[in-house]
Amino acid sequence: MKCNKLVDAGRRQFLRGGMAATAGAVATTVMTPEQARAQALARVDYPASRLANIADLVVNEPMDIAYPDADSPGVLLKLGQAVEGGVGPDGDIVAFSVLCPHKGWLMSYSAEDQTLNCPGHHSRFDCESGGQQIWGHATSNLAQFLLSVDENGDIHANGIDELIYGRLSNVL
Ligand code: FES
């Protein structure tokens, strides 16, 4: 009887230790100081900007835009199927910076595989997956503009999920 109690106490102690270790692991895998700094810099008050109307878009044809200011070129896309970060009735409208996160070259859209491609050192980014890098020298994913659509079908940009290349703050 006494032995069983000791076994139970030991098991409880083991479980408490396991939970504490798990909590510690969660706390220590949050982000590096550089990531925290980049994220803090990206958290600014963004302007709301009308980019276009849904009626202006054609599936798989890029529309040149700029956000949050004229010096930050981007592309507005209707991809034809619901995607990550997509808005509108079909969940397929997305927008990205077209400045390559590696060294800022201007990228172009490939309708063939719905990617943005850099002529500088050939990094490639998947527009169907939130601008995820799929090849190349860049060390971060593409900055995606956060969109909303109002009752008139107007598409608005309201923020950005990554730091735009060359900026210490997305809003200057
Ligand atoms: Fe785009 Fe280097 S500038 S990969």
Side-chain angles (χ1 to χ4, degrees), residues 42-76:
R43 283 187 187 141
V44 295
D45 289 332
Y46 285 96
S49 176
R50 180 189 178 280
L51 302 177
N53 188 276
I54 287 179
D56 301 328
L57 297 178
V58 176
V59 172
N60 223 14
E61 284 191 14
M63 174 183 284
D64 292 337
I65 55 164
Y67 182 78
D69 53 64
D71 294 327
S72 173
V75 64
L76 181 63

mmCIF file of all heavy atoms in Angstrom, residues 42-76:
data_model
loop_
_atom_site.group_PDB
_atom_site.id
_atom_site.type_symbol
_atom_site.label_atom_id
_atom_site.label_comp_id
_atom_site.label_asym_id
_atom_site.label_seq_id
_atom_site.Cartn_x
_atom_site.Cartn_y
_atom_site.Cartn_z
ATOM 1 N N ALA A 42 7.163 46.108 -38.154
ATOM 2 C CA ALA A 42 6.068 45.928 -39.105
ATOM 3 C C ALA A 42 4.726 46.305 -38.484
ATOM 4 O O ALA A 42 3.757 46.526 -39.189
ATOM 5 C CB ALA A 42 6.025 44.488 -39.603
ATOM 6 N N ARG A 43 4.674 46.374 -37.142
ATOM 7 C CA ARG A 43 3.416 46.710 -36.476
ATOM 8 C C ARG A 43 3.291 48.226 -36.354
ATOM 9 O O ARG A 43 3.724 48.822 -35.376
ATOM 10 C CB ARG A 43 3.382 46.071 -35.078
ATOM 11 C CG ARG A 43 3.084 44.605 -35.112
ATOM 12 C CD ARG A 43 2.893 44.089 -33.702
ATOM 13 N NE ARG A 43 2.766 42.657 -33.705
ATOM 14 C CZ ARG A 43 3.290 41.855 -32.803
ATOM 15 N NH1 ARG A 43 3.976 42.347 -31.804
ATOM 16 N NH2 ARG A 43 3.125 40.561 -32.879
ATOM 17 N N VAL A 44 2.733 48.807 -37.356
ATOM 18 C CA VAL A 44 2.537 50.253 -37.369
ATOM 19 C C VAL A 44 1.090 50.507 -37.745
ATOM 20 O O VAL A 44 0.359 49.585 -38.109
ATOM 21 C CB VAL A 44 3.482 50.929 -38.381
ATOM 22 C CG1 VAL A 44 4.923 50.749 -37.951
ATOM 23 C CG2 VAL A 44 3.281 50.356 -39.771
ATOM 24 N N ASP A 45 0.692 51.768 -37.645
ATOM 25 C CA ASP A 45 -0.667 52.114 -38.058
ATOM 26 C C ASP A 45 -0.691 52.274 -39.569
ATOM 27 O O ASP A 45 -0.094 53.203 -40.114
ATOM 28 C CB ASP A 45 -1.111 53.409 -37.378
ATOM 29 C CG ASP A 45 -1.359 53.202 -35.897
ATOM 30 O OD1 ASP A 45 -1.702 52.062 -35.505
ATOM 31 O OD2 ASP A 45 -1.181 54.163 -35.133
ATOM 32 N N TYR A 46 -1.383 51.371 -40.223
ATOM 33 C CA TYR A 46 -1.423 51.384 -41.684
ATOM 34 C C TYR A 46 -2.572 52.238 -42.193
ATOM 35 O O TYR A 46 -3.656 52.237 -41.608
ATOM 36 C CB TYR A 46 -1.597 49.969 -42.217
ATOM 37 C CG TYR A 46 -0.352 49.146 -42.122
ATOM 38 C CD1 TYR A 46 -0.151 48.284 -41.052
ATOM 39 C CD2 TYR A 46 0.635 49.235 -43.090
ATOM 40 C CE1 TYR A 46 1.004 47.530 -40.960
ATOM 41 C CE2 TYR A 46 1.792 48.488 -43.003
ATOM 42 C CZ TYR A 46 1.963 47.637 -41.933
ATOM 43 O OH TYR A 46 3.107 46.903 -41.833
ATOM 44 N N PRO A 47 -2.362 52.921 -43.307
ATOM 45 C CA PRO A 47 -3.473 53.620 -43.943
ATOM 46 C C PRO A 47 -4.373 52.608 -44.643
ATOM 47 O O PRO A 47 -3.895 51.551 -45.072
ATOM 48 C CB PRO A 47 -2.776 54.520 -44.965
ATOM 49 C CG PRO A 47 -1.512 53.802 -45.304
ATOM 50 C CD PRO A 47 -1.099 53.076 -44.051
ATOM 51 N N ALA A 48 -5.648 52.909 -44.736
ATOM 52 C CA ALA A 48 -6.545 52.100 -45.568
ATOM 53 C C ALA A 48 -6.530 52.725 -46.954
ATOM 54 O O ALA A 48 -6.636 53.944 -47.099
ATOM 55 C CB ALA A 48 -7.952 52.115 -44.992
ATOM 56 N N SER A 49 -6.348 51.901 -47.958
ATOM 57 C CA SER A 49 -6.211 52.429 -49.307
ATOM 58 C C SER A 49 -7.038 51.601 -50.283
ATOM 59 O O SER A 49 -6.899 50.379 -50.338
ATOM 60 C CB SER A 49 -4.733 52.400 -49.703
ATOM 61 O OG SER A 49 -4.556 52.819 -51.018
ATOM 62 N N ARG A 50 -7.892 52.280 -51.067
ATOM 63 C CA ARG A 50 -8.675 51.570 -52.076
ATOM 64 C C ARG A 50 -7.760 51.231 -53.247
ATOM 65 O O ARG A 50 -7.104 52.111 -53.807
ATOM 66 C CB ARG A 50 -9.851 52.427 -52.558
ATOM 67 C CG ARG A 50 -10.714 51.743 -53.602
ATOM 68 C CD ARG A 50 -11.727 52.689 -54.214
ATOM 69 N NE ARG A 50 -12.540 52.051 -55.247
ATOM 70 C CZ ARG A 50 -12.140 51.856 -56.506
ATOM 71 N NH1 ARG A 50 -10.938 52.260 -56.895
ATOM 72 N NH2 ARG A 50 -12.943 51.255 -57.381
ATOM 73 N N LEU A 51 -7.721 49.955 -53.609
ATOM 74 C CA LEU A 51 -6.842 49.517 -54.695
ATOM 75 C C LEU A 51 -7.574 49.387 -56.018
ATOM 76 O O LEU A 51 -7.027 49.711 -57.079
ATOM 77 C CB LEU A 51 -6.210 48.165 -54.342
ATOM 78 C CG LEU A 51 -5.383 48.106 -53.042
ATOM 79 C CD1 LEU A 51 -4.895 46.687 -52.803
ATOM 80 C CD2 LEU A 51 -4.217 49.083 -53.102
ATOM 81 N N ALA A 52 -8.791 48.872 -55.978
ATOM 82 C CA ALA A 52 -9.556 48.608 -57.198
ATOM 83 C C ALA A 52 -10.935 48.119 -56.797
ATOM 84 O O ALA A 52 -11.265 48.056 -55.607
ATOM 85 C CB ALA A 52 -8.850 47.553 -58.045
ATOM 86 N N ASN A 53 -11.739 47.778 -57.807
ATOM 87 C CA ASN A 53 -13.019 47.135 -57.559
ATOM 88 C C ASN A 53 -12.934 45.708 -58.100
ATOM 89 O O ASN A 53 -12.206 45.462 -59.066
ATOM 90 C CB ASN A 53 -14.155 47.901 -58.252
ATOM 91 C CG ASN A 53 -15.525 47.363 -57.862
ATOM 92 O OD1 ASN A 53 -16.003 46.392 -58.435
ATOM 93 N ND2 ASN A 53 -16.146 47.989 -56.866
ATOM 94 N N ILE A 54 -13.694 44.815 -57.501
ATOM 95 C CA ILE A 54 -13.694 43.423 -57.967
ATOM 96 C C ILE A 54 -13.960 43.348 -59.471
ATOM 97 O O ILE A 54 -13.358 42.546 -60.186
ATOM 98 C CB ILE A 54 -14.753 42.597 -57.197
ATOM 99 C CG1 ILE A 54 -14.267 42.338 -55.770
ATOM 100 C CG2 ILE A 54 -15.043 41.281 -57.897
ATOM 101 C CD1 ILE A 54 -15.254 41.554 -54.926
ATOM 102 N N ALA A 55 -14.838 44.239 -59.962
ATOM 103 C CA ALA A 55 -15.198 44.219 -61.386
ATOM 104 C C ALA A 55 -14.016 44.566 -62.289
ATOM 105 O O ALA A 55 -14.038 44.277 -63.485
ATOM 106 C CB ALA A 55 -16.349 45.179 -61.638
ATOM 107 N N ASP A 56 -12.973 45.191 -61.716
ATOM 108 C CA ASP A 56 -11.795 45.567 -62.518
ATOM 109 C C ASP A 56 -10.856 44.391 -62.757
ATOM 110 O O ASP A 56 -9.954 44.477 -63.597
ATOM 111 C CB ASP A 56 -10.996 46.668 -61.801
ATOM 112 C CG ASP A 56 -11.819 47.910 -61.542
ATOM 113 O OD1 ASP A 56 -12.706 48.202 -62.365
ATOM 114 O OD2 ASP A 56 -11.572 48.573 -60.513
ATOM 115 N N LEU A 57 -11.042 43.311 -62.004
ATOM 116 C CA LEU A 57 -10.064 42.217 -62.041
ATOM 117 C C LEU A 57 -10.462 41.111 -63.012
ATOM 118 O O LEU A 57 -11.639 40.774 -63.137
ATOM 119 C CB LEU A 57 -9.893 41.619 -60.639
ATOM 120 C CG LEU A 57 -9.345 42.564 -59.573
ATOM 121 C CD1 LEU A 57 -9.267 41.850 -58.224
ATOM 122 C CD2 LEU A 57 -7.977 43.090 -59.966
ATOM 123 N N VAL A 58 -9.462 40.562 -63.666
ATOM 124 C CA VAL A 58 -9.642 39.400 -64.539
ATOM 125 C C VAL A 58 -8.788 38.276 -63.947
ATOM 126 O O VAL A 58 -7.644 38.511 -63.519
ATOM 127 C CB VAL A 58 -9.171 39.715 -65.978
ATOM 128 C CG1 VAL A 58 -9.278 38.475 -66.860
ATOM 129 C CG2 VAL A 58 -9.968 40.877 -66.540
ATOM 130 N N VAL A 59 -9.347 37.078 -63.910
ATOM 131 C CA VAL A 59 -8.629 35.948 -63.306
ATOM 132 C C VAL A 59 -7.257 35.778 -63.953
ATOM 133 O O VAL A 59 -7.128 35.747 -65.175
ATOM 134 C CB VAL A 59 -9.450 34.641 -63.435
ATOM 135 C CG1 VAL A 59 -8.610 33.439 -62.978
ATOM 136 C CG2 VAL A 59 -10.722 34.731 -62.612
ATOM 137 N N ASN A 60 -6.253 35.721 -63.066
ATOM 138 C CA ASN A 60 -4.867 35.451 -63.458
ATOM 139 C C ASN A 60 -4.209 36.565 -64.261
ATOM 140 O O ASN A 60 -3.202 36.328 -64.921
ATOM 141 C CB ASN A 60 -4.769 34.124 -64.220
ATOM 142 C CG ASN A 60 -3.575 33.305 -63.788
ATOM 143 O OD1 ASN A 60 -2.961 33.585 -62.762
ATOM 144 N ND2 ASN A 60 -3.245 32.303 -64.564
ATOM 145 N N GLU A 61 -4.798 37.768 -64.233
ATOM 146 C CA GLU A 61 -4.146 38.912 -64.875
ATOM 147 C C GLU A 61 -3.752 39.906 -63.793
ATOM 148 O O GLU A 61 -4.624 40.470 -63.123
ATOM 149 C CB GLU A 61 -5.091 39.572 -65.886
ATOM 150 C CG GLU A 61 -5.224 38.779 -67.165
ATOM 151 C CD GLU A 61 -5.946 39.568 -68.254
ATOM 152 O OE1 GLU A 61 -6.100 40.797 -68.112
ATOM 153 O OE2 GLU A 61 -6.362 38.939 -69.237
ATOM 154 N N PRO A 62 -2.447 40.138 -63.600
ATOM 155 C CA PRO A 62 -1.995 41.014 -62.522
ATOM 156 C C PRO A 62 -2.348 42.474 -62.773
ATOM 157 O O PRO A 62 -2.336 42.927 -63.912
ATOM 158 C CB PRO A 62 -0.478 40.818 -62.524
ATOM 159 C CG PRO A 62 -0.150 40.411 -63.928
ATOM 160 C CD PRO A 62 -1.335 39.624 -64.417
ATOM 161 N N MET A 63 -2.678 43.167 -61.701
ATOM 162 C CA MET A 63 -2.923 44.611 -61.786
ATOM 163 C C MET A 63 -1.868 45.310 -60.925
ATOM 164 O O MET A 63 -1.688 44.964 -59.763
ATOM 165 C CB MET A 63 -4.329 44.943 -61.267
ATOM 166 C CG MET A 63 -4.589 46.453 -61.202
ATOM 167 S SD MET A 63 -6.207 46.844 -60.502
ATOM 168 C CE MET A 63 -7.260 46.440 -61.878
ATOM 169 N N ASP A 64 -1.179 46.273 -61.521
ATOM 170 C CA ASP A 64 -0.163 47.025 -60.772
ATOM 171 C C ASP A 64 -0.833 47.927 -59.757
ATOM 172 O O ASP A 64 -1.797 48.642 -60.080
ATOM 173 C CB ASP A 64 0.684 47.874 -61.721
ATOM 174 C CG ASP A 64 1.570 47.032 -62.626
ATOM 175 O OD1 ASP A 64 1.862 45.877 -62.241
ATOM 176 O OD2 ASP A 64 1.954 47.519 -63.705
ATOM 177 N N ILE A 65 -0.314 47.910 -58.541
ATOM 178 C CA ILE A 65 -0.823 48.769 -57.478
ATOM 179 C C ILE A 65 0.372 49.306 -56.696
ATOM 180 O O ILE A 65 1.514 48.933 -56.981
ATOM 181 C CB ILE A 65 -1.757 47.995 -56.505
ATOM 182 C CG1 ILE A 65 -1.010 46.774 -55.948
ATOM 183 C CG2 ILE A 65 -3.045 47.581 -57.202
ATOM 184 C CD1 ILE A 65 -1.648 46.171 -54.730
ATOM 185 N N ALA A 66 0.097 50.137 -55.710
ATOM 186 C CA ALA A 66 1.141 50.574 -54.774
ATOM 187 C C ALA A 66 0.501 50.698 -53.400
ATOM 188 O O ALA A 66 -0.627 51.181 -53.280
ATOM 189 C CB ALA A 66 1.735 51.900 -55.216
ATOM 190 N N TYR A 67 1.227 50.235 -52.380
ATOM 191 C CA TYR A 67 0.730 50.319 -51.008
ATOM 192 C C TYR A 67 1.892 50.114 -50.057
ATOM 193 O O TYR A 67 2.740 49.265 -50.337
ATOM 194 C CB TYR A 67 -0.347 49.249 -50.735
ATOM 195 C CG TYR A 67 -0.908 49.351 -49.337
ATOM 196 C CD1 TYR A 67 -1.847 50.321 -49.028
ATOM 197 C CD2 TYR A 67 -0.463 48.509 -48.335
ATOM 198 C CE1 TYR A 67 -2.332 50.440 -47.732
ATOM 199 C CE2 TYR A 67 -0.953 48.630 -47.050
ATOM 200 C CZ TYR A 67 -1.880 49.585 -46.759
ATOM 201 O OH TYR A 67 -2.361 49.725 -45.466
ATOM 202 N N PRO A 68 2.005 50.825 -48.972
ATOM 203 C CA PRO A 68 1.093 51.854 -48.455
ATOM 204 C C PRO A 68 1.333 53.240 -49.041
ATOM 205 O O PRO A 68 0.658 54.187 -48.657
ATOM 206 C CB PRO A 68 1.411 51.837 -46.953
ATOM 207 C CG PRO A 68 2.838 51.442 -46.884
ATOM 208 C CD PRO A 68 3.074 50.493 -48.022
ATOM 209 N N ASP A 69 2.302 53.348 -49.980
ATOM 210 C CA ASP A 69 2.555 54.639 -50.621
ATOM 211 C C ASP A 69 3.064 54.377 -52.035
ATOM 212 O O ASP A 69 3.306 53.223 -52.419
ATOM 213 C CB ASP A 69 3.559 55.465 -49.795
ATOM 214 C CG ASP A 69 4.829 54.687 -49.501
ATOM 215 O OD1 ASP A 69 5.539 54.354 -50.463
ATOM 216 O OD2 ASP A 69 5.087 54.380 -48.320
ATOM 217 N N ALA A 70 3.255 55.425 -52.774
ATOM 218 C CA ALA A 70 3.612 55.295 -54.192
ATOM 219 C C ALA A 70 4.972 54.645 -54.410
ATOM 220 O O ALA A 70 5.259 54.145 -55.499
ATOM 221 C CB ALA A 70 3.580 56.666 -54.852
ATOM 222 N N ASP A 71 5.836 54.642 -53.377
ATOM 223 C CA ASP A 71 7.166 54.061 -53.520
ATOM 224 C C ASP A 71 7.213 52.579 -53.176
ATOM 225 O O ASP A 71 8.296 52.000 -53.075
ATOM 226 C CB ASP A 71 8.163 54.821 -52.634
ATOM 227 C CG ASP A 71 8.353 56.252 -53.112
ATOM 228 O OD1 ASP A 71 8.269 56.478 -54.339
ATOM 229 O OD2 ASP A 71 8.558 57.144 -52.264
ATOM 230 N N SER A 72 6.068 51.985 -52.963
ATOM 231 C CA SER A 72 6.015 50.566 -52.621
ATOM 232 C C SER A 72 5.139 49.836 -53.641
ATOM 233 O O SER A 72 3.942 49.635 -53.423
ATOM 234 C CB SER A 72 5.459 50.381 -51.204
ATOM 235 O OG SER A 72 5.268 49.008 -50.931
ATOM 236 N N PRO A 73 5.750 49.444 -54.764
ATOM 237 C CA PRO A 73 4.948 48.801 -55.812
ATOM 238 C C PRO A 73 4.488 47.409 -55.399
ATOM 239 O O PRO A 73 5.157 46.706 -54.650
ATOM 240 C CB PRO A 73 5.930 48.715 -56.989
ATOM 241 C CG PRO A 73 7.279 48.694 -56.354
ATOM 242 C CD PRO A 73 7.169 49.548 -55.116
ATOM 243 N N GLY A 74 3.318 47.062 -55.930
ATOM 244 C CA GLY A 74 2.760 45.748 -55.629
ATOM 245 C C GLY A 74 1.906 45.254 -56.768
ATOM 246 O O GLY A 74 1.780 45.905 -57.809
ATOM 247 N N VAL A 75 1.324 44.098 -56.552
ATOM 248 C CA VAL A 75 0.474 43.508 -57.571
ATOM 249 C C VAL A 75 -0.795 42.989 -56.903
ATOM 250 O O VAL A 75 -0.762 42.441 -55.800
ATOM 251 C CB VAL A 75 1.225 42.373 -58.315
ATOM 252 C CG1 VAL A 75 1.562 41.208 -57.379
ATOM 253 C CG2 VAL A 75 0.443 41.887 -59.506
ATOM 254 N N LEU A 76 -1.919 43.222 -57.587
ATOM 255 C CA LEU A 76 -3.226 42.733 -57.120
ATOM 256 C C LEU A 76 -3.645 41.611 -58.062
ATOM 257 O O LEU A 76 -3.583 41.761 -59.287
ATOM 258 C CB LEU A 76 -4.230 43.878 -57.147
ATOM 259 C CG LEU A 76 -5.647 43.587 -56.672
ATOM 260 C CD1 LEU A 76 -5.664 43.194 -55.191
ATOM 261 C CD2 LEU A 76 -6.541 44.820 -56.885
#
